[in-house]
Structures are given as structure tokens and as C-alpha cells.
Amino acid sequence: MREILRRSLTGAVYIILLLSAVFLSSDAFDFLFMVFGLACLNEYKKLVGLEGRYIYMAYLALWWAFIYFVTDIWMVYALLLCTLTVNFLLLYYLFSKKEKLFNTFQKFIIGLFYIGGGCIFLTMIPYTNDEFVKFLIIGIFLLIWVSDSFAYIVGRLFGRTKLFPRVSPKKTVEGALGGLVFALATAYLLAKYEPIITPWQWLVLAAIIVVAGGLGDLVESKLKRAAGVKDSGAILPGHGGMLDRLDSLVFAAPFAYLTLNIFAHVS
């Protein structure tokens, strides 16, 4: 009971902090995810055994450049290509049977684009036509939260078939499908409140976010398994580390950004 209360209180504080930053100002939102990115990088470094502080400086330089100075869309697409390439490399790592594949340079590049690039694109998502679209990013948060919550609930109630037992023994196919179904239902409801994209686009976006987010969760699980730890950190009582909370969002963000840009060009 005490553990449930601690998890609930931590979760409530986390959600209030996110929503407060979104509604306070775009600068507050930007700053919050810059800090979240640093916290995730710190935990990633410990997971993979990456020494030194150079990755923090590289991340801050990259984040500052792309959030405040870079206006050339082709530069943004170049960052998107690098981030997606690293994510697909991590998917290769996920499905390989080897636990440790990366040298020091590869660990640096992966951390910079997997976490740094993911946080940058998560920060970029709500900016549409130079406006900060609050309910778009809140909608994406909701899709991840609903998917994670109902994947857990459905998995506990009906889960029989293991999804990826070698990496995450508790996850089930039934839970993953339950999370997807409830996320799609949430997307349908979101379309009534945020018409910046159409209902069918909300559904497509939800499916991509849930699938990519689920894969991101599995990637982080494999990194933790390779490191021999249960959580990436202990900054959030009852929830583990910051990367444990943001792994799905960070991995899904570049896919969501790409999807929204495709919608903008075909609409």
C-alpha cells in the first residue's frame, strides 16, 4: 500500500510539472525538456558505462542550436535522419542476441541522437506555424500515458502470451494490444478538442506513437538488462529513473515529428 501511494504521489507531481510547464509558457516547456534530457543522458551514461562529460556539452549545444537558432528546414531534416538512423540501429540491437555491441564512440553518438535528438523533436512537436499548440503535445503525452496504463492493466487481467520474454518477461501481447486499442479510442476523443489534425490523422499518429513508444520501452529494458539493473535511476520514487519515465516518449518523438510533417505536406 505504501509503495502504491508513493508511486501515485510521484506520478501526480510529474504530471503536474509537465502540464504546468506547457500552460505556463513555451519557454518553460522548452527548458523543462532540456533538463529532462540532461537527466536522461546522465542515466544513459551509467547504463552503458560512458565516461566523461563531453556528451552533456554536445547535447546542450545541439539543443540550443536547433531550438533557438536553426531555421533551415533541411538542417532539421538532417538531424531527423541522424536520430531515426540511431533509433533503427537500436532496434537492430534490440532484436540481436548480443548484450553489448557498442564501443565508446558509438555509445556517445547513440546517446546524443537517441536521447538528445529525441528530446529536441519532442520539444519541436508543439510548434506549428510559429505557434505553440499546447493541446497537440498534451495529446501526445496522453496517448503514451493511456497506452502504458492500459497495457499494464489489460496485461495483468488477460495477459497470457509473452511479448518479448528475453528482454521484458512481464510484457504480454494482450497488454500491448489493449494499450493500442485504448490509445486509439483516446485519439478519437482528442480529435474533437484539437482539430489541428483530422480524426484519421490522430488515429494514425496514435498507432505510430504507441508502436514506436513500445519499442523504445523495450530498447531501454535491454540496455538495463545488459547493465544488470532494474531501473535506470532513482530520481522518481516508485518509478525509477527519468529515462524509465520518458523512454517511450523520447524514442517515439522523431517518428511523431516525421508523421506530423507528412500530414502537413499532404493536407
Side-chain angles (χ1 to χ4, degrees):
M1 185 65 183
R2 182 178 297 178
E3 179 64 21
I4 293 174
L5 180 61
R6 186 170 65 161
R7 285 179 61 87
S8 299
L9 288 173
T10 303
V13 171
Y14 170 73
I15 291 171
I16 290 170
L17 183 63
L18 279 178
L19 296 181
S20 297
V22 170
F23 284 103
L24 180 61
S25 71
S26 59
D27 287 335
F29 173 78
D30 295 348
F31 179 77
L32 181 65
F33 272 92
M34 181 192 73
V35 173
F36 279 178
L38 286 172
C40 289
L41 271 179
N42 184 57
E43 294 172 0
Y44 166 81
K45 282 177 76 265
K46 294 177 181 177
L47 285 179
V48 302
L50 180 62
E51 300 294 333
R53 300 178 180 178
Y54 297 108
I55 195 167
Y56 298 130
M57 294 183 283
Y59 163 67
L60 288 173
L62 195 68
W63 187 92
W64 201 263
F66 276 89
I67 298 302
Y68 289 112
F69 296 107
V70 173
T71 56
D72 185 351
I73 191 62
W74 291 106
M75 291 288 289
V76 176
Y77 290 158
L79 177 64
L80 182 62
L81 177 61
C82 291
T83 304
L84 290 174
T85 299
V86 165
N87 281 4
F88 280 111
L89 175 64
L90 286 171
L91 291 179
Y92 170 78
Y93 167 68
L94 172 63
F95 290 104
S96 72
K97 293 184 178 180
K98 294 183 179 180
E99 292 292 330
K100 298 181 180 180
L101 293 176
F102 309 118
N103 59 37
T104 299
F105 177 73
Q106 290 169 335
K107 291 173 184 177
F108 180 92
I109 295 298
I110 288 169
L112 184 60
F113 291 107
Y114 158 48
I115 294 174
C119 286
I120 288 169
F121 285 110
L122 192 58
T123 308
M124 286 183 176
I125 283 172
Y127 290 95
T128 303
N129 298 325
D130 295 324
E131 293 184 10
F132 186 68
V133 186
K134 298 180 179 69
F135 288 102
L136 178 60
I137 192 64
I138 288 174
I140 289 173
F141 291 155
L142 278 174
L143 292 174
I144 288 288
W145 294 337
V146 167
S147 173
D148 288 348
S149 299
F150 281 96
Y152 175 78
I153 293 168
V154 174
R156 286 292 298 269
L157 292 175
F158 306 107
R160 297 291 183 273
T161 311
K162 298 297 183 183
L163 179 65
F164 207 145
R166 180 163 52 85
V167 172
S168 187
K170 293 183 179 180
K171 288 184 172 59
T172 64
V173 173
E174 294 83 0
L177 291 175
L180 175 61
V181 168
F182 278 95
L184 291 173
T186 302
Y188 179 78
L189 294 175
L190 285 170
K192 298 181 180 297
Y193 296 97
E194 182 46 77
I196 192 169
I197 56 176
T198 65
W200 76 265
Q201 287 174 337
W202 266 112
L203 293 173
V204 171
L205 181 64
I208 289 171
I209 287 173
V210 170
V211 172
L215 290 170
D217 186 53
L218 289 171
V219 165
E220 198 233 359
S221 293
K222 183 160 184 180
L223 290 174
K224 290 189 294 186
R225 184 167 289 270
V229 297
K230 180 178 181 292
D231 297 317
S232 65
I235 194 172
L236 298 172
H239 290 264
M242 187 61 70
L243 188 55
D244 291 321
R245 294 305 311 159
L246 293 177
D247 54 0
S248 298
L249 272 170
V250 167
F251 195 86
F255 295 97
Y257 182 86
L258 175 62
T259 303
L260 289 167
N261 272 266
I262 292 172
F263 289 163
H265 285 88
V266 299
S267 298

